[in-house]
Amino acid sequence: MNKRIIDYKNFFFVGIGGIGMSALARYFNSFGKKVAGYDKNSSLLTHILNEEGCQIAYEDHLDKIPKAHLSIEDTLVVYTPAIPKEHRQLQYFQEKNFQVLKRSEVLGLITRFNKALCVAGTHGKTTTSAMLAHVLSQSDYGCSAFLGGISSNFNSNVLVNKQSEWTVVEADEFDRSFLHLSPFISIITAMDPDHLDIYGDPDHFNEGFQQYAMKIDPNGWCIVKEGIKLHSLSDSCTYNIESKTADYSANDISYEAGFMCFYVNSKEYNGRKFELGIPGIHNVLNALACVVLLEKIGLSYPQIRQGLASFRGVRRRFDIHINSDDLLFIDDYAHHPEELRLLVDSLKMMYPGKKLIAVFQPHLFSRTRDFGLEFGEQLSRFDALYLMPIYAARENEIIGISSEWLLSKVSIKDKRVVESTKVLEIMKDIKEGVVLTIGAGDIDRLVSPLQEILSQNIKHTI
């Protein structure tokens, strides 16, 4: 680039409504830049962007590009790999030699000028990065943050603090995006193979994470869940639950009055108690990773403890919408077998004896094919399963791979494939148990109407 990214006056985002793209759009908008963009569909995020002064069009026409953004000298164009190559606006900007960058490249440029605290891994990175950002924002350190979800504390996916040297970044392995980052310290939560449509096989997937680990600043830290084997130029340390060999271990975990309580054993925190404001055993792991990083950069025990206790989570991550004695409704983003395993483990610990009723939407044909047996094993741990059609996202259909095929891998008797339109009708008869909507596609559209139906069920029961 011929000039610094912050020196551009105008920013045009092709695919502005995505969770990562909208965070960047809001970031530059906060600096007084003229932000505009295209997205295929309107959404809550595009509505928020409009309210904050961004111009958004939903048609791929050149006349929808604002006049100011036609200046080659003053405009930076940002796009997401999800946008098709034949997109007319994107093609126009490329043909006219505008400065055009991927979202990950822009995020990478931002991290070069701050101390980037990155969270990578196939599970838990959104919650962990939001947790880090919250604790830091409650301290004297402060931070900016780019998150892959909407933080319940901030009600946002971005945090801007122009005075702080710290920037929290969710490091996404999809499309090898995280290789554009310059981490000062990084947490790596998990390395279960995923995105094999991009990487090809587990060996290349692991190679991608190894390349990422080598990008961590030699003066920083590589903080990994115990069992992950990576080489880094920085110092490394491990964390885990109930471990005698990890550098940091969370022990004596319990669920008390809405808090996950645990004790941390390490050289620095031998037996100190923490309380986490959201449920889930997997979130104790996420919190422990935060404890490690925050201790490494100098936050005190009282600051960390207070921040974790006041953390309210991320939307669609163990997101409790109804919590009555007889009936609960939880929405969760889990879309990988290991995430399902952790989710069910937490549910069985927190709600022993309650019937678990899952509505699951598989995400991607390739992921369903690659992990069919593992999905079947975890989905068989529910008491009742309603399996929605596969959400294709960026993929074409794979012949022979379907929700019916996946259902054949599930061993429980109470199971069926249902269209989304039928889910609400089925739930009109559910008056007890734990109802879950699970998946990374568009299943979240069911959350609001389903909450209304289940709330009515509770009223009719009383």
Side-chain angles (χ1 to χ4, degrees):
M1 291 183 65
N2 296 326
K3 59 182 177 180
R4 296 185 311 161
I5 194 168
I6 202 66
D7 291 335
Y8 283 91
K9 297 178 181 179
N10 312 315
F11 290 79
F12 192 91
F13 290 83
V14 187
I16 196 169
I19 193 73
M21 290 282 279
S22 61
L24 280 175
R26 298 174 83 178
Y27 175 80
F28 289 114
N29 193 52
S30 74
F31 282 87
K33 306 298 182 178
K34 290 184 179 179
V35 176
Y38 158 88
D39 206 86
K40 185 177 181 181
N41 299 306
S42 63
S43 65
L44 176 60
L45 279 174
T46 57
H47 177 70
I48 292 170
L49 288 168
N50 273 319
E51 286 189 334
E52 293 177 354
C54 302
Q55 291 180 258
I56 302 176
Y58 302 98
E59 296 173 301
D60 177 20
H61 299 317
L62 298 185
D63 60 6
K64 296 295 183 180
I65 302 172
K67 185 176 180 180
H69 292 75
L70 294 174
S71 166
I72 296 177
E73 181 67 24
D74 296 328
T75 302
L76 178 71
V77 179
V78 187
Y79 73 101
T80 169
I83 293 293
K85 293 180 181 178
E86 60 271 17
H87 190 277
R88 282 173 290 184
Q89 290 177 340
L90 182 58
Q91 284 185 336
Y92 170 82
F93 287 123
Q94 291 170 331
E95 290 168 359
K96 296 296 182 181
N97 294 317
F98 279 72
Q99 183 68 54
V100 179
L101 297 175
K102 287 184 180 181
R103 179 194 68 86
S104 55
E105 293 174 312
V106 175
L107 198 53
L109 289 170
I110 292 172
T111 64
R112 291 183 190 177
F113 302 101
N114 298 86
K115 286 188 175 179
L117 306 175
C118 300
V119 182
T122 41
H123 325 298
K125 55 183 175 284
T126 298
T127 300
T128 306
S129 54
M131 202 180 292
L132 266 181
H134 171 67
V135 179
L136 283 167
S137 70
Q138 299 297 296
S139 74
D140 295 336
Y141 282 53
C143 70
S144 294
F146 297 91
L147 309 175
I150 303 297
S151 163
S152 295
N153 290 93
F154 309 140
N155 194 32
S156 178
N157 56 341
V158 68
L159 190 65
V160 181
N161 185 326
K162 297 171 186 175
Q163 284 72 49
S164 176
E165 65 177 334
W166 304 102
T167 300
V168 175
V169 178
E170 181 172 332
D172 189 1
E173 73 277 3
F174 173 68
D175 198 37
R176 297 179 174 85
S177 293
F178 59 177
L179 298 183
H180 292 289
L181 301 176
S182 299
F184 177 65
I185 299 177
S186 184
I187 294 167
I188 301 175
T189 63
M191 274 178 52
D192 299 294
D194 198 5
H195 301 302
L196 298 186
D197 56 323
I198 301 295
Y199 288 93
D201 57 53
D203 287 340
H204 285 94
F205 176 83
N206 293 337
E207 181 184 332
F209 269 87
Q210 179 54 68
Q211 291 173 350
Y212 171 76
M214 292 298 289
K215 292 179 68 66
I216 300 171
D217 192 309
N219 297 312
W221 282 88
C222 179
I223 301 166
V224 299
K225 182 174 179 284
E226 188 178 28
I228 293 175
K229 305 296 183 184
L230 290 171
H231 300 290
S232 177
L233 299 176
S234 67
D235 288 333
S236 298
C237 63
T238 59
Y239 67 94
N240 208 347
I241 287 175
E242 302 288 352
S243 174
K244 294 182 179 179
T245 52
D247 296 314
Y248 289 75
S249 176
N251 302 319
D252 301 320
I253 301 168
S254 60
Y255 182 60
E256 303 171 12
F259 289 89
M260 296 300 297
C261 302
F262 60 98
Y263 294 81
V264 173
N265 287 331
S266 70
K267 291 180 180 178
E268 293 82 4
Y269 288 139
N270 193 20
R272 282 184 168 174
K273 185 179 181 180
F274 291 86
E275 296 175 339
L276 180 62
I278 57 171
I281 297 172
H282 55 298
N283 284 322
V284 173
L285 257 179
N286 297 334
L288 180 60
C290 290
V291 169
V292 180
L293 187 150
L294 293 165
E295 181 273 324
K296 296 298 183 189
I297 65 171
L299 255 70
S300 67
Y301 167 64
Q303 287 177 313
I304 300 173
R305 178 173 178 172
Q306 181 179 358
L308 291 179
S310 59
F311 181 62
R312 294 295 171 257
V314 179
R315 291 180 194 169
R316 301 222 63 229
R317 272 70 173 182
F318 212 101
D319 201 354
I320 301 176
H321 291 267
I322 295 175
N323 189 3
S324 69
D325 291 339
D326 294 324
L327 184 62
L328 297 99
F329 173 37
I330 299 171
D331 180 43
D332 196 88
Y333 194 71
H335 56 283
H336 185 281
E338 178 62 13
E339 294 169 347
L340 281 173
R341 184 186 70 80
L342 294 169
L343 174 63
V344 179
D345 283 351
S346 296
L347 292 166
K348 289 184 178 294
M349 184 199 80
M350 295 168 59
Y351 311 113
K354 283 195 177 292
K355 184 177 181 180
L356 303 181
I357 305 160
V359 182
F360 179 63
Q361 183 186 48
H363 186 264
L364 299 182
F365 286 96
S366 60
R367 183 181 286 124
T368 304
R369 175 199 62 198
D370 294 339
F371 303 107
L373 290 175
E374 293 87 346
F375 272 121
E377 181 181 354
Q378 297 306 320
L379 292 171
S380 298
R381 299 175 67 195
F382 293 105
D383 298 296
L385 173 66
Y386 299 97
L387 198 57
M388 291 172 57
I390 295 172
Y391 185 81
R394 57 187 179 271
E395 292 186 336
N396 295 320
E397 181 181 356
I398 298 176
I399 301 300
I401 303 301
S402 65
S403 288
E404 286 78 9
W405 174 84
L406 180 57
L407 195 71
S408 71
K409 312 292 182 187
V410 178
S411 61
I412 60 174
K413 292 183 179 179
D414 193 355
K415 61 177 183 177
R416 58 188 283 197
V417 174
V418 296
E419 295 289 337
S420 59
T421 53
K422 297 292 185 183
V423 172
L424 300 179
E425 189 68 31
I426 291 168
M427 291 298 154
K428 289 180 180 179
D429 297 324
I430 304 297
K431 294 181 172 59
E432 60 181 13
V434 182
V435 175
L436 301 116
T437 45
I438 310 168
D442 61 1
I443 192 172
D444 60 311
R445 296 181 180 181
L446 292 177
V447 172
S448 181
L450 186 52
Q451 182 178 0
E452 185 175 339
I453 287 172
L454 294 174
S455 296
Q456 289 296 320
N457 292 353
I458 295 172
K459 291 178 182 178
H460 292 156
T461 304
I462 297 174

